[in-house]
Amino acid sequence: MPGIGIVLNPHSKRNRQSPEGMRRLGFIVGDKGSCAQTSDMNDLERVAREFKERDIDILGISGGDGTNHRTLTTFIQVYGEKPLPKITFLRGGTLNTIATGCGIHGSPEKILSNLIYKYHEDESFTIRKIRLIQINNDYGFIWGCGVIYRFMDAYYKKGEGSPMNAAKTLVQSIGSAIVNGPFACRMFERFDADVTVNGERWAYKNYSALYAASVPYLGLNFKTFYLVDKGGDAFHAIGFSMPPRNILPYMPLMFLGRPSGCPNLLEEPAQTMEMNFSEPIPYT
């Protein structure tokens, strides 16, 4: 099937735990050359070049949010000036925040079967245009440092990624924040940064978190980036500076995707966001 190409990440947790699922995807596609497992980044680049030469119409990605980010970055670099094919996310990972934000639900097999059926029958697809965010030389949909990075770090230290471990990390964070405990205080440790959004410098000199996204959901059904739904070609940029206990009253509104009204939080739709840090800082 020259019109569809599938990238399978065998290292994603879901695919590691269910290798027969990858075989089923290959069976559904039917054409061995259109369903490619990638063992490393060099392998991914090779597949991207092959799919570019074949001029595929649709690229399906089977992995989680990390696989989506790595695959799209590689394809953008390989395709250069050539437009990318249509993209679908097959929810093949533990974290499928991007697929959820696109309104894609169901098992990888069901998503792919529906895709192939519509493709063969020449039925119309539901298309959603989403802006990719470029961070240095990488491309993705969600970026964060400070609290966002430290939460993910604590989450992964609990073992294999899972929604249950994510929920446990959130409960632990909230419980510690109520008393400004050491766990939450480490999460909210401030850092110095000069931040310029849309050419205007933000007022704060230090932050507990900086984050941005072009999809509405941050994870755990928190519709944090509600400005994405307002339309236009902008991503949602956010920064705040406060101790952990102070953010708790605003979390319900953040979960529902509404303006929090928090006086210590800055946010706006953004075309550009430039951050200069006083020292190197990890991000996700």
Side-chain angles (χ1 to χ4, degrees), residues 10 43 55 71 124 127 155 162-163 224 241 283:
D43 207 16
D55 199 23
T71 300
S124 60
I127 305 295
Y155 160 66
S162 69
T224 306
S241 181
Y283 62 85

Side-chain angles (χ1 to χ4, degrees), residues 170-184:
L170 179 63
V171 170
Q172 182 183 5
S173 302
I174 292 174
S176 182
I178 291 173
V179 295
N180 274 338
F183 180 78

Side-chain angles (χ1 to χ4, degrees), residues 47-121:
V47 171
R49 295 190 183 282
E50 289 179 1
F51 285 179
K52 179 183 179 181
E53 290 176 5
R54 289 172 49 191
D55 199 23
I56 62 171
D57 298 320
I58 300 173
L59 170 65
I61 306 174
S62 179
D65 293 337
T67 302
N68 298 337
H69 144 63
R70 291 295 185 187
T71 300
L72 288 174
T73 295
T74 300
F75 269 70
I76 288 170
Q77 292 168 347
V78 168
Y79 270 61
E81 296 298 319
K82 183 176 182 178
L84 292 177
K86 294 182 178 68
I87 310 292
T88 190
F89 303 117
L90 300 178
R91 299 185 66 89
T94 304
L95 295 177
N96 297 295
T97 309
I98 308 307
T100 299
C102 295
I104 300 173
H105 302 282
S107 68
E109 294 88 348
K110 183 176 180 180
I111 296 168
L112 182 56
S113 296
N114 181 58
L115 173 76
I116 291 175
Y117 174 81
K118 286 190 172 183
Y119 185 81
H120 277 309
E121 297 298 318

